[in-house]
Amino acid sequence: DVTVGHFRADLYDRLNIFHVVVPPLRHRLEDIPILTKQLLEALCKKGVITAAPKVEQNVLDIFSNYDWPGNIRELKNVLERASVLSNGGTITRAHIDLKRKSSSGATATIGRSEGAQWPGDNRKEVLDAAKQRFRRLGRDAKQKHIMTMFVDICGAESGATTYISELLGLSKETVRKILNAANVSKAGRTRPRAGARADLIPKLEKYIIDKF
């Protein structure tokens, strides 16, 4: 920022040749269908999903009536979550959960029809869908996520291999092989588990649901 001295004024003037204005998503709602298609294709290329799912028209209508405070990043997150909940099938109204604040400050849910059963209300169902999505990832993506769970979440906690394997539905030997291939420290992971730390399981479950 020039005003607080973080950026030299003369350099700013040299670089300030063209102004590029990127309008927020709420000002270009007509782009949502093509952006939705492109974002789903991008998730597919990254290995997050195996194939870009179809999106029902009423979902696009919902998107076009939402103000998207989080812009395209929010749209990407909504589509990624919906892809997990749809388990590779068509994304429907039931898979969308958006919150809109009224002028009074009250929050209204849009997307789900009133009284509809939404998979997100059932943690086990969402977790199972996420685990299925994980199993369809490529080898490198699986390795990256297991390393993150073992090192960043569990901190190489004793028995971590056991409860990572149980949550993902893999054998302990498979998890160990992945960690060995990634050259991750063996600290603690082969010692028998006396009992999973109570705080780690929810963290691992949240990671699995959020990422897959």
Side-chain angles (χ1 to χ4, degrees):
D1 191 312
V2 174
T3 58
V4 294
H6 293 161
F7 202 87
R8 283 176 48 184
D10 59 334
L11 178 58
Y12 176 79
D13 290 336
R14 288 174 181 269
L15 297 175
N16 188 27
I17 298 172
F18 292 105
H19 290 281
V20 179
V21 178
V22 180
L25 186 54
R26 65 180 178 275
H27 290 163
R28 49 193 179 109
L29 297 175
E30 68 279 2
D31 292 341
I32 282 182
I34 187 63
L35 285 172
T36 296
K37 181 175 182 293
Q38 291 174 346
L39 288 169
L40 288 172
E41 288 174 349
L43 289 172
C44 188
K45 288 179 181 178
K46 289 182 179 179
V48 177
I49 55 179
T50 55
K54 294 181 179 179
V55 181
E56 286 190 348
Q57 181 59 46
N58 59 4
V59 171
L60 295 176
D61 293 339
I62 289 168
F63 288 171
S64 295
N65 285 284
Y66 182 65
D67 52 11
W68 298 104
N71 289 306
I72 291 180
R73 184 184 296 274
E74 184 180 6
L75 176 59
K76 175 183 175 293
N77 291 341
V78 168
L79 289 171
E80 187 169 347
R81 181 177 175 81
S83 298
V84 171
L85 295 176
S86 69
N87 197 26
T90 299
I91 294 176
T92 70
R93 182 187 184 98
H95 303 128
I96 305 301
D97 188 40
L98 296 170
K99 305 293 183 184
R100 170 179 285 166
K101 284 190 176 181
S102 67
S103 57
S104 65
T107 302
T109 299
I110 62 174
R112 286 181 282 165
S113 57
E114 187 174 352
Q117 179 67 32
W118 184 53
D121 294 329
N122 185 328
R123 185 174 182 82
K124 183 180 183 302
E125 187 174 345
V126 176
L127 186 60
D128 287 346
K131 288 191 286 188
Q132 289 178 27
R133 186 72 62 190
F134 171 84
R135 294 187 193 111
R136 292 197 284 267
L137 293 177
R139 183 186 63 182
D140 291 346
K142 285 181 180 177
Q143 183 184 77
K144 172 187 172 184
H145 289 299
I146 287 176
M147 286 170 56
T148 298
M149 284 187 275
F150 182 75
V151 177
D152 295 343
I153 298 178
C154 297
E157 180 78 8
S158 176
T161 300
T162 300
Y163 38 92
I164 289 172
S165 65
E166 289 175 356
L167 281 171
L168 292 175
L170 302 173
S171 69
K172 286 184 285 186
E173 186 60 30
T174 296
V175 174
R176 288 191 186 115
K177 284 181 178 178
I178 290 172
L179 292 170
N180 286 335
N183 199 29
V184 175
S185 168
K186 294 183 179 180
R189 74 167 183 260
T190 57
R191 294 203 298 271
R193 178 179 66 164
R197 267 177 46 193
D199 64 317
L200 286 181
I201 296 298
K203 288 180 180 178
L204 286 167
E205 288 185 345
K206 183 178 186 306
Y207 180 87
I208 293 168
I209 290 172
D210 288 349
K211 296 297 180 182
F212 311 124

